[in-house]
Amino acid sequence: QVQLVESGGGLVQPGGSLRLSCAASRSTFSIDRMAWYRQVPGKTRELVASISFNGSTNYSESVKGRFTISRDTAKNTMYLQMNSLKSEDTAVYYCNAQNWPRALVWWGQGTQVTVSS
């Protein structure tokens, strides 16, 4: 299996920035895509940003232009740089990894991001 550990969440004022990290354990399974999801009470978990094995990225419209997803292959770590944060960005952010050939999905434990003055 793949173990995912998020870090970097916390409290930030509107307009501020945070950088989330997700460290993935090395395993037999290759990871075809890593992504950040977020969830607030009463709502479904939504995709925020993703990065595939070939480096291609995509973002939800609500964060495009403000968030940047990246990865460090050597460290097997994914990052989410969040700028110009808004109160509506408040959520638990989850790291996600997928292996497409085996249809496997792994989730991190989540890290709380709170945007408030």
Side-chain angles (χ1 to χ4, degrees):
Q1 64 176 340
V2 174
Q3 293 180 320
L4 305 174
V5 180
E6 303 102 327
S7 63
L11 175 65
V12 65
Q13 295 184 0
S17 299
L18 283 175
R19 188 178 78 155
L20 305 183
S21 299
C22 174
S25 64
R26 301 186 187 280
S27 73
T28 303
F29 301 108
S30 61
I31 297 176
D32 296 295
R33 189 196 75 157
M34 294 188 74
W36 289 99
Y37 287 75
R38 67 185 181 187
Q39 187 171 27
V40 298
K43 296 185 64 178
T44 58
R45 190 169 298 183
E46 67 171 350
L47 176 65
V48 177
S50 67
I51 183 166
S52 298
F53 71 96
N54 61 0
S56 64
T57 60
N58 76 285
Y59 300 88
S60 69
E61 289 299 318
S62 63
V63 307
K64 195 170 186 178
R66 299 187 298 120
F67 292 9
T68 302
I69 190 170
S70 62
R71 67 184 180 189
D72 186 327
T73 303
K75 295 182 178 180
N76 209 29
T77 301
M78 175 182 65
Y79 305 94
L80 183 67
Q81 178 65 47
M82 305 184 293
N83 298 326
S84 301
L85 284 162
K86 306 174 181 179
S87 60
E88 52 263 42
D89 294 318
T90 296
V92 177
Y93 285 71
Y94 295 90
C95 179
N96 167 274
Q98 299 180 2
N99 175 274
W100 292 332
R102 299 179 184 272
L104 298 174
V105 179
W106 301 275
W107 292 96
Q109 82 287 352
T111 184
Q112 177 70 47
V113 172
T114 302
V115 184
S116 177
S117 59

